[in-house]
Amino acid sequence: MSLTLNGVDSSASTTSSRPRTYQVRTYGCQMNVHDSERMAGLLETAGMVPFDDAGATGELDGHGQPVGPSADVVVFNTCAVRENADNKLYGNLGMLAHIKESNPGMQIAVGGCLAQKDRATIQKRAPWVDVVFGTHNVGALPVLLERARHNADAQMEILESLDVFPSTLPTRRDAVYSGWVSISVGCNNTCTFCIVPSLRGKERDRRPGEILAEIQALVDDGAIEVTLLGQNVNSYGVEFGDRLAFGKLLRACGQIEGLERVRFTSPHPAAFTDDVIAAMAETPNVMPQLHMPLQSGSDKVLKDMRRSYRSAKFLGILDKVREQMPHAAISTDIIVGFPGESEEDFQATLDVVEKSRFATAFTFQYSKRPGTPAADLPDQLPKEVVQERFLRLTALQDRIAAEENARQVGRTVEVMVTAQSGRKAAETHRLSGRSQDQRLVHFSVPGGSETPRPGDLVTVVITEAASFHLVADPATAADFRLRRSRAGDAWDRSQAESCGVPAVPAAGGARASVSLGMPSLPVRTA
């Protein structure tokens, strides 16, 4: 099909000799965030550079679009799970169509779960899209873009099974001080509300040596925190027949020198075993934080969801975790208004939430997902009923979160500084970071103290609390302790490199590299 839009040939090359720019727009879960890092790495390996939208004027044109430069390549990494995902995608594609009219050579690509699911629909509804690719062939993105340019024709490639394991692809990490490390892809569960297994396939596990090599490469480049990532991360090992593999992997992470923080997401309660809890408690760099999806507190609803655990088992897991890690912060996912959910069922969810004392909860109103068994279940609930229950649940969880955060006041915590600051940072002059239990902390730097860099660690006393964050305002320099880290050094180097100035050497005079490909173990010398 032709890519000519209103007489403008989108296959035309950019007229200048500058490198082509790209922008990846990500929707959905952590897996999509990690996939987007792979896409960015692939595009940079192909010679593109990240798009800098600093030149935008802030004004809008006649189509409601920002006035100013646009990326040469815009990639949408889509989600098929979140509500109205398709409407958001087509709305954004529609707005980009007007920009593409006046930018010959601009290309638009759509990948991710929605592309895997709605492959032909995307090209039918948005014929100006140049490339459609699926969850199993992320690595094909640069080739498909170049083929679309050369042939002046849209390209669609959707594989039904994994092409290459994503972690073998080049990567552009979002942060130099921390990184995602995928240990598995796909899912073997059959939850009736979830379309992920059909879009990402059966579980595939990486070998432990490959995972540890990637972590080592990240640490060598300056990272001090990693998050192990999988659709059901604690079922890791199922493919090669070791049901204790995940606990062993956590303990192995504890042996990596320089790795200070290890997290993981998301586990499944049905597969969460005592050996994993022991590994968390006994491995110093595994953080006292756990995301444990509940989905519903009603045993009847859990059965209808095909969640192979019940509320008593769920609460028992939390008790065991807190017995061995008293200060662990636990978060969760909850769906409100699943088909057939009665008021009694919903009250059971409220009861479990009250008992669980979650630090935070991601709450969702159930909405039909075509292709899932739940979409065809009887007793779909009216929107107003779901909305009313949702508001009751969020009010309860907000109260619990505020109470749990209030218990943190007076505690001394170590915070890893992040590059992102709070919305009121300009007014409060506070920086932001995450404590070991993953709580968000906004903190001020007392007069006379050195300002930390992203990746550095500060030790402060919590002075205030709200439902969604903590505050630390040290009264004097003596109440503020800064530990400059290798991650902060890596941040300095990355900033210097992005500005085109000589990078600050790493400790010992060696200049750290940026890992863009498959990591390898460092060469050992005698």
Side-chain angles (χ1 to χ4, degrees):
M1 89 188 201
S2 173
L3 289 180
T4 301
L5 185 66
N6 290 350
V8 178
D9 184 1
S10 67
S11 68
S13 300
T14 51
T15 56
S16 71
S17 60
R18 64 171 175 79
R20 300 182 82 207
T21 59
Y22 75 88
Q23 182 182 61
V24 180
R25 302 185 186 182
T26 308
Y27 304 94
C29 65
Q30 295 94 334
M31 191 70 75
N32 270 20
V33 172
H34 191 39
D35 284 348
S36 290
E37 292 182 334
R38 306 290 180 194
M39 295 174 193
L42 285 159
L43 296 175
E44 292 194 13
T45 300
M48 300 184 198
V49 296
F51 172 63
D52 181 2
D53 59 1
T57 64
E59 301 175 1
L60 300 179
D61 64 16
H63 301 292
Q65 288 299 294
V67 176
S70 62
D72 299 314
V73 174
V74 179
V75 181
F76 290 90
N77 189 10
T78 63
C79 171
V81 176
R82 305 296 169 90
E83 188 172 8
N84 296 321
D86 53 347
N87 291 336
K88 291 177 183 177
L89 172 65
Y90 294 119
N92 285 315
L93 290 177
M95 290 187 287
L96 277 184
H98 301 291
I99 297 178
K100 191 172 181 181
E101 284 183 343
S102 56
N103 286 271
M106 179 183 180
Q107 290 185 290
I108 302 171
V110 179
C113 291
L114 197 65
Q116 187 79 21
K117 172 177 168 286
D118 291 347
R119 54 197 77 179
T121 305
I122 293 171
Q123 288 191 323
K124 181 178 179 180
R125 293 184 58 177
W128 54 92
V129 169
D130 300 270
V131 170
V132 180
F133 63 105
T135 59
H136 298 305
N137 61 323
V138 170
L141 175 59
V143 172
L144 293 172
L145 286 167
E146 185 57 33
R147 192 184 300 161
R149 278 215 299 169
H150 181 271
N151 296 344
D153 193 43
Q155 301 295 309
M156 179 173 70
E157 183 174 295
I158 306 289
L159 300 185
E160 298 303 329
S161 60
L162 202 62
D163 184 10
V164 296
F165 203 95
S167 293
T168 65
L169 301 174
T171 305
R172 184 184 189 273
R173 303 281 180 181
D174 281 346
V176 296
Y177 44 83
S178 64
W180 305 100
V181 175
S182 179
I183 70 171
S184 65
V185 295
C187 178
N188 292 341
N189 291 315
T190 57
C191 301
T192 56
F193 57 82
C194 186
I195 199 170
V196 167
S198 65
L199 300 180
R200 290 195 176 266
K202 292 294 185 180
E203 181 173 328
R204 293 276 304 277
D205 294 332
R206 295 176 73 190
R207 289 290 169 173
E210 293 179 3
I211 297 167
L212 295 172
E214 182 175 359
I215 295 173
Q216 184 67 62
L218 281 169
V219 172
D220 290 344
D221 280 342
I224 60 173
E225 178 183 77
V226 298
T227 301
L228 306 178
L229 188 62
Q231 216 71 55
N232 288 306
V233 70
N234 57 314
S235 64
Y236 172 72
V238 65
E239 191 178 25
F240 51 84
D242 185 356
R243 66 181 187 86
L244 302 178
F246 185 61
K248 293 175 184 176
L249 183 63
L250 291 178
R251 292 182 187 276
C253 288
Q255 303 301 312
I256 298 178
E257 185 176 353
L259 180 59
E260 299 196 27
R261 296 185 172 195
V262 178
R263 307 185 191 278
F264 57 88
T265 193
S266 292
H268 193 292
F272 204 77
T273 50
D274 291 350
D275 65 292
V276 172
I277 299 173
M280 292 176 65
E282 296 166 9
T283 309
N285 63 357
V286 176
M287 293 294 95
Q289 174 250 332
L290 177 65
H291 184 74
M292 181 65 70
L294 170 64
Q295 305 304 1
S296 175
S298 162
D299 289 350
K300 172 190 172 297
V301 173
L302 288 172
K303 181 179 179 182
D304 291 343
M305 289 179 168
R306 290 188 198 154
R307 300 285 287 179
S308 48
Y309 58 89
R310 299 296 177 256
S311 58
K313 175 170 183 172
F314 183 92
L315 291 169
I317 292 171
L318 303 197
D319 288 343
K320 290 178 181 179
V321 169
R322 286 173 170 144
E323 181 181 349
Q324 298 195 47
M325 291 172 285
H327 294 297
I330 299 174
S331 56
T332 197
D333 298 328
I334 302 173
I335 297 172
V336 177
F338 189 79
E341 179 190 75
S342 66
E343 178 61 29
E344 181 182 8
D345 293 324
F346 178 66
Q347 185 58 52
T349 295
L350 297 180
D351 292 343
V352 173
V353 169
E354 187 75 67
K355 294 173 184 176
S356 297
R357 309 297 297 177
F358 296 118
T360 187
F362 300 92
T363 52
F364 306 92
Q365 297 185 39
Y366 173 80
S367 58
K368 284 186 177 183
R369 290 292 175 271
T372 62
D376 299 322
L377 288 176
D379 301 324
Q380 303 280 333
L381 301 186
K383 178 68 175 177
E384 59 270 19
V385 172
V386 178
Q387 174 70 13
E388 189 273 336
R389 290 178 182 172
F390 178 79
L391 292 176
R392 273 194 282 160
L393 174 62
T394 53
L396 171 62
Q397 177 54 39
D398 287 353
R399 172 180 65 78
I400 292 172
E403 292 170 354
E404 291 300 305
N405 276 355
R407 295 174 57 189
Q408 309 305 310
V409 174
R411 282 191 63 196
T412 299
V413 298
E414 184 180 66
V415 177
M416 187 175 80
V417 184
T418 58
Q420 297 78 29
S421 297
R423 289 182 294 106
K424 298 181 180 179
E427 305 167 29
T428 63
H429 305 291
R430 294 186 181 115
L431 300 177
S432 300
R434 294 283 177 176
S435 61
Q436 291 182 319
D437 64 9
Q438 193 66 347
R439 284 185 165 93
L440 175 62
V441 180
H442 302 305
F443 64 94
S444 56
V445 179
S449 298
E450 185 179 1
T451 300
R453 308 158 298 179
D456 284 338
L457 299 115
V458 299
T459 301
V460 291
V461 176
I462 302 301
T463 55
E464 298 176 36
S467 293
F468 307 112
H469 68 268
L470 304 172
V471 173
D473 285 328
T476 67
D479 302 318
F480 179 86
R481 189 162 72 251
L482 166 64
R483 177 160 65 90
R484 292 172 67 85
S485 72
R486 296 181 310 99
D489 295 340
W491 171 264
D492 277 345
R493 291 193 300 274
S494 71
Q495 296 305 291
E497 289 167 0
S498 68
C499 295
V501 300
V504 180
R511 182 180 179 280
S513 62
V514 177
S515 175
L516 289 179
M518 181 61 186
S520 60
L521 290 170
V523 176
R524 301 186 182 276
T525 56

